[in-house]
Amino acid sequence: MKIANKTVSAERLVRDALEKAKHFADYHIFTYINEENAINKAREIDRKIANGEKVGRLAGVPYALKDNFLSTEGQTTASAHILEGFDSPITATSVKKLEDEGAIMIGRTNLDAFAHGSSTENSYFGPTLNAFDKERVAGGSSGGSAVAVALDIVEFATGTDTGGSIRQPASFNGIYGLKPTYGCISRYGVVAMASSTDCIGFFTKTPDDMNLLMEVASGQDPKDLTTLPDYYNESKITRAKKIGIIKEFDNESVDPEIRKALKHKVELLKSEGHEIVELKMPSLRYALAAYYIIVPAEVASNLSRYDGVRYGFRSEKSETLDELYDNTRSEGFMPENKRRIMIGNFVLSSGFYDAYFLKAAKARTIIIDEYDKAFSQVDYILTPVSPNPAFKLGEKIGDPVAMYLEDMMSVSLNLAGVPGLAIPAGKTSAGLPIGLQIVGPRRSDKGLIEFSKELIEDD
Ligand code: GLN
């Protein structure tokens, strides 16, 4: 990570990033460019450096902020029409921590509206394009953030991962993406999707950058009672010996080139002296079904606050209060948001609660137990991130189930609260990035990042 110092000024770093952001405008990466604020902040850092004053660990580092993080710079829209025009009165704890160390936000990035999706095509502002092939999706929901890093516009970007939204776009664009342990980083001030699985994380180009950001952002926050005491900065790392691979993920539904990339890394690990253990995790095949019940249930609850009265957009057509709610929500939400509200309210309804929500909650407990059992046998697990590399724009948008299947290998981590790091693992014959994920037990985030260095090879 290039930090401002006596040789390179913060203003230079920020101006370069802003210029690149403009150069790549046709990728639809940003929903807002923070030009004036960013340059003023950079000048302030340069002034401090010139005066010999102390600056933070991220002094002058330009970064991109997924547009579901609240801050007073730019409007937070979550790429949803219903939030358009919303000026946040608060700043997310994670953003505050980054800025306290001198990081400079140069723009807010595009996402699937409210982070519902796996391609960034559900954005009210239109899709973000893949960094390697403009006819393909960026992945999602944090597509804008992933492409901002992959195209080298910024040094890092923030993301949220409820079921894969950091790891999948990271893998589609050939960079690192970490979903930390649930509760590692404060969710305060981030637009809620599903509160029991939402995690804040980052996109970077190197494991060391990821480690630095985690050191800065992790820790307990009195404003988010689900945060854990700071274990990250206390973590002691021992070298991983046993690495698991999941038998259930090695099947025909996974692209052969991705299976080959996994096998290749397994051979590399063996040659480095690691023991490979084949794990049977049969309940993972129910993870997607459980996820698409639990998450919509929480989504329906979290989205009920958008009523046209308190935040952003309000439909002007209405004569009564009920019409105002109806019209605002009908016009303001994207089809995928509405689908989840419908499913969520259905699975929570009195007649169906036991059959759907309760059953999914039980399946979740079994999945948690299965991960705990797996980590009594191995240090980490290596799996693909998604069954395929980046797909074509428009290919899955009309078929919600095909889109949900994208998340087959990512959602179980969120249900179990365990961390996962997406790493670049070569390219397909067509030149598209392939990503793998390293999964670890809860609170092993630092070890995961360190272990990922053993998987780095020259291209
Ligand atoms: N693709 C998943 C979904 O649509 C994950 C989204 C996310 O992690 N925000 O639910």
Side-chain angles (χ1 to χ4, degrees):
M1 194 129 51
K2 248 193 244 152
I3 315 258
N5 51 34
K6 290 225 162 73
T7 23
V8 53
S9 72
E11 186 168 348
R12 183 72 272 143
L13 293 176
V14 163
R15 283 194 185 277
D16 283 352
L18 288 166
E19 221 159 88
K20 283 189 217 157
K22 283 179 198 153
H23 175 76
F24 290 115
D26 54 336
Y27 283 79
H28 290 145
I29 296 165
F30 293 98
T31 54
Y32 170 77
I33 299 279
N34 195 29
E35 184 149 2
E36 210 184 309
N37 286 341
I39 291 173
N40 287 340
K41 283 185 178 173
R43 285 184 178 152
E44 176 61 16
I45 285 177
D46 288 335
R47 189 193 59 75
K48 282 188 178 167
I49 293 173
N51 288 349
E53 288 173 42
K54 197 170 173 295
V55 288
R57 284 179 284 174
L58 301 171
V61 177
Y63 77 99
L65 188 68
K66 186 176 180 181
D67 196 15
N68 57 354
F69 285 71
L70 304 189
S71 86
T72 49
E73 289 178 284
Q75 293 177 336
T76 307
T77 69
S79 291
H81 184 33
I82 204 160
L83 266 176
E84 257 193 315
F86 169 61
D87 280 311
S88 169
I90 61 157
T91 296
T93 301
S94 50
V95 175
K96 192 165 179 314
K97 285 186 168 188
L98 297 172
E99 305 255 337
D100 284 350
E101 290 291 342
I104 299 178
M105 190 266 276
I106 64 125
R108 294 177 158 276
T109 60
N110 198 15
L111 61 145
D112 287 297
F114 287 109
H116 304 170
S118 311
S119 67
T120 312
E121 292 170 290
N122 293 332
S123 165
Y124 179 65
F125 305 115
T128 299
L129 312 184
N130 187 282
F132 286 74
D133 180 345
K134 285 166 101 172
E135 287 177 9
R136 291 180 188 267
V137 299
S141 65
S142 320
S145 282
V147 177
V149 174
L151 290 177
D152 229 355
I153 297 170
V154 284
E155 295 284 337
F156 74 91
T158 69
T160 56
D161 192 312
T162 302
S165 280
I166 292 177
R167 289 160 286 149
Q168 188 250 26
S171 78
F172 279 12
N173 293 283
I175 53 173
Y176 289 84
L178 177 70
K179 174 212 120 48
T181 300
Y182 180 78
C184 177
I185 299 178
S186 171
R187 290 179 292 116
Y188 176 75
V190 177
V191 177
M193 179 176 166
S195 309
S196 80
T197 70
D198 285 350
C199 287
I200 309 306
F202 301 104
F203 295 90
T204 64
K205 288 171 265 191
T206 68
D208 285 335
D209 286 355
M210 191 67 83
N211 178 50
L212 176 57
L213 295 170
M214 290 296 290
E215 283 180 7
V216 168
S218 61
Q220 204 155 26
D221 179 9
K223 291 177 176 148
D224 173 0
L225 296 180
T226 61
T227 44
L228 298 165
D230 185 8
Y231 63 85
Y232 190 87
N233 285 295
E234 311 284 307
S235 302
K236 305 252 172 319
I237 304 169
T238 49
R239 184 167 187 257
K241 291 189 196 79
K242 292 188 183 175
I243 308 302
I245 48 167
I246 302 178
K247 196 171 175 319
E248 284 76 10
F249 286 168
D250 192 17
N251 61 48
E252 274 72 59
S253 63
V254 183
D255 185 288
E257 295 200 82
I258 294 181
R259 291 168 79 186
K260 205 171 128 201
L262 178 65
K263 287 208 175 76
H264 174 75
K265 292 293 184 197
V266 164
E267 289 310 316
L268 175 69
L269 289 172
K270 280 187 191 160
S271 74
E272 288 170 349
H274 295 280
E275 185 186 332
I276 305 296
V277 180
E278 191 174 271
L279 299 166
K280 289 200 188 69
M281 299 184 71
S283 66
L284 292 193
R285 55 190 287 243
Y286 302 108
L288 198 66
Y291 174 89
Y292 274 101
I293 291 172
I294 292 168
V295 165
E298 295 188 28
V299 160
S301 309
N302 276 327
L303 293 188
S304 62
R305 74 190 69 170
Y306 302 106
D307 53 9
V309 177
R310 284 174 289 184
Y311 311 92
F313 165 77
R314 173 182 300 168
S315 169
E316 296 300 336
K317 287 188 217 149
S318 323
E319 283 178 12
T320 66
L321 188 60
D322 278 348
E323 276 174 26
L324 181 130
Y325 295 153
D326 282 358
N327 292 337
T328 300
R329 289 170 68 84
S330 301
E331 293 164 37
F333 284 126
M334 297 294 282
E336 184 59 31
N337 307 140
K338 292 179 191 170
R339 192 174 292 121
R340 295 193 191 209
I341 292 170
M342 299 288 285
I343 295 172
N345 285 317
F346 176 77
V347 298
L348 289 173
S349 61
S350 61
F352 297 97
Y353 177 85
D354 288 357
Y356 290 101
F357 188 78
L358 198 60
K359 234 188 207 148
K362 287 180 180 168
R364 180 180 196 171
T365 303
I366 295 172
I367 290 164
I368 294 172
D369 289 347
E370 210 162 86
Y371 269 113
D372 288 346
K373 201 172 130 216
F375 290 123
S376 68
Q377 300 169 56
V378 299
D379 297 300
Y380 301 123
I381 303 173
L382 188 64
T383 86
V385 176
S386 66
N388 45 258
F391 47 92
K392 288 252 165 81
L393 287 156
E395 192 180 320
K396 299 187 191 220
I397 192 73
D399 183 350
V401 175
M403 195 68 97
Y404 297 168
L405 282 169
E406 274 300 298
D407 308 326
M408 189 163 92
M409 291 151 170
S410 52
V411 297
S412 65
L413 282 73
N414 299 73
L415 292 177
V418 297
L421 175 65
I423 59 163
K427 300 220 176 71
T428 65
S429 44
L432 297 173
I434 294 177
L436 297 177
Q437 67 181 336
I438 315 167
V439 190
R442 281 178 287 281
R443 304 181 190 229
S444 68
D445 318 53
K446 199 177 184 91
L448 276 189
I449 295 171
E450 191 56 34
F451 173 65
S452 73
K453 294 180 189 169
E454 296 197 44
L455 291 157
I456 297 175
E457 292 168 281
D458 295 332
D459 275 345

